[in-house]
Amino acid sequence: MKIVKHSGAVVNFNPEKLEASLLKSGADAFTAEGILKEISSEIYEGISTKNIYKKAFALLKKHTHSHAARYNLRAAIEMLGPEGFYFEKYIARLFEAEKYITKTNVVLQGNCVMHEVDILIKKNDTVAMVECKFHGGKEAASDVKVPMYVFSRFNDLRHKTYNLFSNKERITDCWIVTNTRFTADAIAFAECSGINLLSWDYPEKRSLKSRNNVDCLYPVTCLTTLSRAEKEKILLLDVILVKELVDNRSVLKEIGISSNRIKNVLKEVSELCKCF
């Protein structure tokens, strides 16, 4: 059976890949097998991967909201756009979970020109700049021009001292983060230049899709018990991560959600973040 990817490429339908993604969302083997069987009976030659995803998401949601939320993670990160402002805040939260202290949207004078730095991070007296590249579609990729450009900015900033988190600090490290992926040339240039990369699938064991399962670092946009408009209102109140709702439950009432629905939302939060 041939299916069509978002990029337009035609590939063979891979049931094992779909089943693996269902299991990774937290669904048990019986549920995953049932969903796979139902989807396999409904797909047709030329169906898009987007439609397959929608069917799987809807079926998962019938079983457990939290499993659907995990399955929805990539789309949820895309909802932190369209400009990527909330994506920058989300990435700052990920670094904070690893004991970094952060600052966002800092303007600094380099040797040659002024630069707006998306995020500054510090841990163990090491200060790094983080450049975020947000893409609205998952097929988009950051090519080699991105690390080349960021590296030139880094070089303009690294030789000066600044009052950042304390007095007279230098920016000694550089990160580039994207919600999609980097091309092979971009990775090669970054590795050669000493730039740290983070994307949806890179590095393999510490990528965006794998980091979220640690310490419940899911964005609120993945919650299935909230509408898109409600998620946007929550983001405006600077609640970025699902787990932040545990200590900010009043936010749900503040944006006009009824008591019964608040219970449903908090149930999904609890299931998604079992450590709470």
Side-chain angles (χ1 to χ4, degrees):
M1 181 76 70
K2 299 291 185 181
I3 61 174
V4 182
K5 298 178 69 174
H6 185 75
S7 63
V10 178
V11 297
N12 289 319
F13 173 60
N14 186 338
E16 289 80 13
K17 185 176 180 180
L18 175 57
E19 185 175 22
S21 67
L22 294 170
L23 291 170
K24 192 171 183 179
S25 75
D28 57 49
F30 179 78
T31 300
E33 186 179 346
I35 292 174
L36 180 61
K37 185 176 180 180
E38 186 165 347
I39 288 176
S40 297
S41 69
E42 293 180 1
I43 63 172
Y44 49 86
E45 194 78 21
I47 190 174
S48 68
T49 53
K50 184 177 181 179
N51 279 338
I52 294 174
Y53 163 81
K54 284 183 176 180
K55 289 177 183 292
F57 176 73
L59 291 168
L60 265 178
K61 192 174 177 180
K62 287 181 180 179
H63 285 275
T64 309
H65 285 286
S66 61
H67 296 164
R70 289 191 188 94
Y71 189 74
N72 194 42
L73 177 60
R74 190 168 189 177
I77 293 176
E78 287 181 19
M79 288 174 64
L80 295 171
E83 300 301 326
F85 171 70
Y86 293 116
F87 179 66
E88 293 171 13
K89 289 196 167 194
Y90 168 64
I91 296 303
R93 297 291 210 279
L94 296 191
F95 280 108
E96 288 165 8
E98 296 186 351
K99 308 304 180 185
Y100 287 87
I101 52 176
T102 69
K103 286 186 175 182
T104 55
N105 300 311
V106 180
V107 177
L108 298 173
Q109 174 63 54
N111 280 331
C112 302
V113 297
M114 298 284 289
H115 300 271
E116 183 175 341
V117 180
D118 292 335
I119 310 170
L120 287 171
I121 61 175
K122 180 180 179 180
K123 185 166 72 170
N124 299 330
D125 296 323
T126 298
V127 178
M129 60 178 282
V130 181
E131 182 79 6
C132 295
K133 294 298 177 184
F134 181 83
H135 299 287
K138 66 181 181 180
E139 297 299 328
S142 292
D143 63 20
V144 70
K145 294 189 292 295
V146 172
M148 291 176 72
Y149 166 68
V150 175
F151 189 58
S152 68
R153 297 181 64 213
F154 174 50
N155 281 332
D156 194 36
L157 291 165
R158 68 194 299 185
H159 301 298
K160 294 192 68 174
T161 58
Y162 302 96
N163 295 330
L164 302 172
F165 301 93
S166 59
N167 294 329
K168 295 184 178 180
E169 294 175 309
R170 289 184 184 272
I171 299 172
T172 59
D173 284 36
C174 180
W175 285 77
I176 308 174
V177 184
T178 183
N179 61 308
T180 53
R181 65 181 184 87
F182 293 102
T183 64
D185 281 350
I187 293 172
F189 182 88
E191 289 179 346
C192 180
S193 304
I195 297 174
N196 301 290
L197 297 181
L198 174 62
S199 73
W200 174 250
D201 57 1
Y202 184 91
E204 184 178 354
K205 295 182 179 179
R206 295 293 295 154
S207 63
L208 284 179
K209 66 180 177 181
S210 62
R211 286 188 181 208
N212 290 274
N213 291 321
V214 180
D215 200 26
C216 189
L217 300 176
Y218 301 100
V220 293
T221 45
C222 76
L223 291 172
T224 63
T225 47
L226 293 171
S227 69
R228 183 158 193 156
E230 288 165 344
K231 293 171 187 177
E232 289 172 355
K233 289 177 182 178
I234 290 173
L235 290 171
L236 281 171
L237 295 172
D238 200 39
V239 176
I240 308 298
L241 300 180
V242 167
K243 69 176 183 178
E244 292 170 4
L245 286 171
V246 175
D247 297 319
N248 293 278
R249 301 181 183 200
S250 60
V251 165
L252 298 172
K253 186 175 181 180
E254 186 177 340
I255 67 170
I257 298 179
S258 67
S259 297
N260 283 337
R261 286 196 58 223
I262 287 176
K263 290 179 182 178
N264 291 333
V265 174
L266 293 177
K267 180 182 178 183
E268 183 178 12
V269 169
S270 177
E271 291 174 350
L272 198 54
C273 302
K274 291 185 182 298
C275 53
F276 297 98

